[in-house]
Amino acid sequence: MTKTTNDMTRMTGALDMTVAKTATANDTAAKATTGRTRATSASVGGSPAEAGQPTEATRRGDGITFICYSRCSTCAKARRWLDEHGVSYTSRDIVTDRPNVRELTSWFHASGLPLRRMFNTSGQRYRALGLKDRLGSMSEDDALTLLASDGMLVKRPLVVSAHGILVGFQPKAWGTALSSTGDALE
């Protein structure tokens, strides 16, 4: 238990430096364009109610950021789904360019989901830190700070757009949220 507490203290203590590095990395990544992806910022606007009302801009991929882990099979399926449906996006690796507290807070509030849904509850780090039992007693700020300290704790994949946040891969929900006409993409 002491080792876990010490690990968590080290992770949260390094957070300030990590946030500064992440902000710099985000600025650098936003300037690069490769293949089908288009560089955009990961800003979030709108409310959860707007998530069900996508626009043509969303369908084309204007401002869509796909946040994933390169070795995750679910993320690979989600990437294939986006490509097959012609959705352009900016890809961001959750480990090398992990989200900072400000981003996670914004995404959490825009998603309308319970905070627990932002965590990768099936991950090894989640289990190693004993978060199943501890998460309920943590403050929102502490939980979001912990999420920002380690990208492997964050549920993935994430799709971030000005029209909403998609957490985890659910083809039907993605089809509805990312369609331009209101008809689900199949």
Side-chain angles (χ1 to χ4, degrees), residues 24-184:
T24 302
N26 289 347
D27 292 343
T28 303
K31 294 176 184 171
T33 303
T34 59
R36 291 179 38 123
T37 62
R38 296 176 330 137
T40 61
S41 67
S43 64
V44 176
S47 66
E50 292 174 312
Q53 300 175 357
T55 65
E56 180 61 27
T58 302
R59 176 67 181 97
R60 287 192 325 262
D62 294 344
I64 292 178
T65 302
F66 175 65
I67 302 169
C68 61
Y69 175 51
S70 61
R71 293 175 40 189
C72 170
S73 61
T74 304
C75 292
K77 288 176 192 173
R79 181 185 305 276
R80 252 189 324 274
W81 187 94
L82 289 170
D83 291 343
E84 288 170 0
H85 289 86
V87 177
S88 61
Y89 53 88
T90 298
S91 188
R92 177 174 167 185
D93 187 278
I94 202 158
V95 175
T96 59
D97 187 10
R98 69 179 174 249
N100 62 43
V101 174
R102 182 180 42 81
E103 289 173 315
L104 288 165
T105 300
S106 176
W107 300 343
F108 162 60
H109 290 291
S111 75
L113 297 171
L115 185 54
R116 184 175 293 277
R117 290 277 313 273
M118 299 297 290
F119 280 84
N120 178 14
T121 58
S122 61
Q124 292 176 357
R125 295 208 177 108
Y126 181 88
R127 290 190 300 269
L129 292 172
L131 293 176
K132 178 181 179 182
D133 299 323
R134 296 183 23 219
L135 194 55
S137 63
M138 292 176 84
S139 72
E140 181 179 301
D141 288 341
D142 288 343
L144 289 165
T145 299
L146 180 60
L147 268 179
S149 71
D150 187 343
M152 295 303 284
L153 288 172
V154 180
K155 176 74 173 176
R156 56 193 184 265
L158 289 162
V159 168
V160 179
S161 79
H163 303 284
I165 309 299
L166 300 171
V167 180
F169 180 51
Q170 299 171 347
K172 276 191 160 187
W174 284 33
T176 300
L178 297 175
S179 74
S180 62
T181 63
D183 296 327

Side-chain angles (χ1 to χ4, degrees), residues 1-11 128-129 134:
M1 183 70 161
T2 304
K3 182 178 181 334
T4 302
T5 304
N6 289 341
D7 289 344
M8 206 165 137
T9 302
R10 252 193 323 272
M11 285 193 298
L129 292 172
R134 296 183 23 219

